[in-house]
Amino acid sequence: MPDQAHSELQPAIFTAVARNRDGSTGESSVDGGIRVAVAAPTGPAVPGATNPEELLALAWATCLNAAARAIAGPGVAIEAVARVSLHPRAEGAYEFSAHAELSFAGVPMEEAESLAAAAHERCPVSRLLDGRGSEQPTVRAVPVA
């Protein structure tokens, strides 16, 4: 029996395309959408700039909250807090750690824990971060246009 966590992908209903030509200092953009100033979290602060850690935390918190709302149903106030930390590795490389919390106003802790686990299972960002997606992220080189 196939593992449902790694079943074949259905056709995409939405695809975001983001671009960065400046590295960690400059600008990142979404095709047809937002443009954001970016600055390395290890460098000097740049007013109004963000970084990959903040963008990943924002995406995860938004996804978890949406998943939790779908599971908990209407009328439950929910807050998602995601923390993404940058850690040094050998040879100048870095890696992330990520932790999230969900709170459900007026919901007993045992039920809240069950709702949080279900939201984590449902959230596509959670699934991508912990390797439960149907496909693993890929990177490939392409010719310069």
Side-chain angles (χ1 to χ4, degrees), residues 24-26 37-41 43-51 54:
S24 60
T25 303
V38 293
V46 176
T50 189
N51 57 57
E54 291 173 344

Side-chain angles (χ1 to χ4, degrees), residues 31-125:
D31 286 5
I34 64 170
R35 301 179 93 70
V36 295
V38 293
T42 56
V46 176
T50 189
N51 57 57
E53 295 76 14
E54 291 173 344
L55 293 169
L56 183 54
L58 184 66
W60 195 22
T62 303
C63 182
L64 277 171
N65 195 302
R69 287 176 184 280
I71 292 163
V76 178
I78 300 167
E79 181 180 29
V81 177
R83 292 175 177 83
V84 175
S85 300
L86 181 66
H87 304 272
R89 292 185 59 188
E91 301 172 19
Y94 297 95
E95 66 184 333
F96 291 147
S97 65
H99 305 279
E101 300 166 348
L102 284 164
S103 59
F104 301 85
V107 175
M109 186 53 71
E110 187 173 310
E111 184 181 348
E113 288 172 351
S114 177
L115 290 169
H120 181 54
E121 176 63 31
R122 181 180 177 123
C123 169
V125 176

